[in-house]
Amino acid sequence: MRDDNCIFCKIANGEIPSKTIYEDEMFRVILDLGPAAKGHALILPKDHYKDLYELPENTASHVMLLAKKMAAQMTDKLHCDGFNLVQNNGETAGQTVMHFHMHLIPRYKNDNQKIGWTPGEPSQEELEEIRNQITG
């Protein structure tokens, strides 16, 4: 299942050249052209899924196993000091290409990157209301 108009489908399936660091029958892992840090890579499924919500459970589990494998290899080879896995869903969440992908971002001391958020301060009542909304 591919989308002929999707640039990530074309890259994942070898129609557009990329700096591939891993490939199997389900995924291609490429270096990001606009890296947050040295070695920043993307896991791209070869099949087209818009986001996490469309991703089959079996594929989702394979993504996490591959992320673990790649993070270990990249940490060993690049000697980074930490690692971020980032996966955005929807434009509001920062997704710019509507093809599921996971960012593998090696982190280095003093790399000047900030991947995070400003922590909120909800009350216990607000947390309980949200918990009930999700589980109810």
Side-chain angles (χ1 to χ4, degrees), residues 9-40:
C9 280
K10 291 176 182 179
I11 293 170
N13 290 286
E15 297 169 36
I16 294 176
S18 64
K19 298 296 182 194
T20 300
I21 59 173
Y22 176 85
E23 182 178 12
D24 63 23
E25 64 281 348
M26 292 178 69
F27 302 100
R28 183 181 297 259
V29 181
I30 64 167
L31 294 178
D32 194 301
L33 294 179
K38 176 185 170 185
H40 180 167

Side-chain angles (χ1 to χ4, degrees), residues 116-124 126-127 130:
W117 52 88
T118 303
E121 296 181 17
S123 68
Q124 289 300 311
E126 289 171 310
L127 291 173
I130 294 166

Side-chain angles (χ1 to χ4, degrees), residues 35-63:
K38 176 185 170 185
H40 180 167
L42 303 173
I43 297 176
L44 304 176
K46 291 184 176 181
D47 286 334
H48 183 82
Y49 308 102
K50 183 177 88 169
D51 52 29
L52 180 67
Y53 307 109
E54 289 188 359
L55 199 66
E57 287 184 8
N58 183 47
T59 305
S61 65
H62 279 82
V63 167

Side-chain angles (χ1 to χ4, degrees), residues 38 70-80 108:
K38 176 185 170 185
M70 294 305 303
Q73 179 178 346
M74 293 166 75
T75 298
D76 179 55
K77 300 294 186 179
L78 297 173
H79 309 289
C80 56
Y108 305 89

